[in-house]
Amino acid sequence: MKVVRDKRTSRWDAHRRTRRAELTDAAIAAIRAHGAGVGMDEVAASAGTSKTVVYRHFTDRTQLYVAVCARVAEVLVAQVRAAMNDADGPRAKTAAGIAAYLRLIEHDPEVYRFVVHRPLVDRVLDADPVADLVSLIGDEAAAVIAAQLRHTGSDTSAAVPWGHGIVGLVRAAADNWLARPAGITREVLAAQLTDLAWSGLSGVVAPRPAIPKEELA
């Protein structure tokens, strides 16, 4: 038997979704203002409400952390995807994806630190939001590599490990840069990482050289 939900319940669902989104935005604003070590008092103040109200929509601090991670993932994946889609050629797409990743870190370093260092997490997570984010971006990179491999008539089976490997490389270098910038600008780091990543990719995704006719005889 089909259960018909009360329309009032549906309206409350929409209200709760909207309020959770507003509180997530307030948390991100608080992180930007107070740093990655922000507490729930600062989050509540940023939202113009009390901690009691925040906990009414997020059962604990960890749930709020996961919501912030989901928002960051949504923005970062969209920016990386758009940057790579707008670039022409595999090397340009590689450069564009790396630049987009580093741009977000430079623009929102405290939000990035918050996601990576998990100051609000007070219980074991059901899943790792950071790993999920890296996996999503790795899938984007893998799709670009696979498309280029298909274009050159090559086997695409290695696209996934290559894509995820490049994202792991970029993330490790970006984390180190954020902790110890050493005077390196984002543009310089992006160029360095593009050179390193492309030196490996160019050998496997470049068009195959034509086979001389005499060798086909």
Side-chain angles (χ1 to χ4, degrees):
M1 184 178 74
K2 183 178 180 180
V3 177
V4 179
R5 299 187 66 202
D6 190 307
K7 289 184 178 180
R8 289 172 299 181
T9 303
S10 299
R11 285 198 296 270
W12 273 109
D13 286 347
H15 170 75
R16 280 191 286 268
R17 285 193 298 270
T18 299
R19 191 63 179 131
R20 280 172 63 93
E22 291 171 349
L23 290 171
T24 301
D25 288 341
I28 292 173
I31 295 164
R32 288 170 175 159
H34 301 284
V38 68
M40 293 299 284
D41 287 324
E42 289 85 7
V43 171
S46 177
T49 187
S50 65
K51 286 197 295 184
T52 301
V53 172
V54 177
Y55 282 123
R56 189 180 301 156
H57 294 275
F58 296 96
T59 57
D60 56 21
R61 299 190 306 172
T62 301
Q63 200 174 79
L64 178 59
Y65 165 78
V66 171
V68 171
C69 287
R71 181 66 58 80
V72 171
E74 180 184 356
V75 172
L76 181 54
V77 171
Q79 289 182 357
V80 170
R81 179 182 296 142
M84 296 177 76
N85 286 341
D86 288 343
D88 293 323
R91 192 185 195 286
K93 288 180 181 295
T94 301
I98 291 172
Y101 188 96
L102 296 179
R103 254 194 319 272
L104 184 135
I105 294 175
E106 186 178 58
H107 175 70
D108 257 338
E110 292 303 322
V111 173
Y112 185 80
R113 288 189 179 101
F114 176 88
V115 168
V116 172
H117 297 304
R118 308 175 179 178
L120 291 186
V121 174
D122 52 8
R123 62 175 168 81
V124 177
L125 290 162
D126 297 328
D128 184 349
V130 177
D132 290 344
L133 170 59
V134 173
S135 182
L136 285 171
I137 299 174
D139 288 344
E140 291 292 325
V144 172
I145 293 171
Q148 180 62 22
L149 289 171
R150 281 192 295 271
H151 178 70
T152 60
S154 302
D155 179 16
T156 63
S157 61
V160 170
W162 287 342
H164 284 259
I166 289 171
V167 171
L169 160 75
V170 173
R171 183 199 164 188
D175 287 353
N176 180 71
W177 173 63
L178 187 60
R180 299 180 296 179
I184 299 175
T185 66
R186 171 177 55 82
E187 292 82 4
V188 169
L189 180 62
Q192 291 172 343
L193 293 178
T194 298
D195 287 343
L196 179 59
W198 185 245
S199 67
L201 280 176
S202 60
V204 291
V205 301
R208 294 175 175 178
I211 300 175
K213 291 182 179 180
E214 57 270 19
E215 292 186 17
L216 294 176

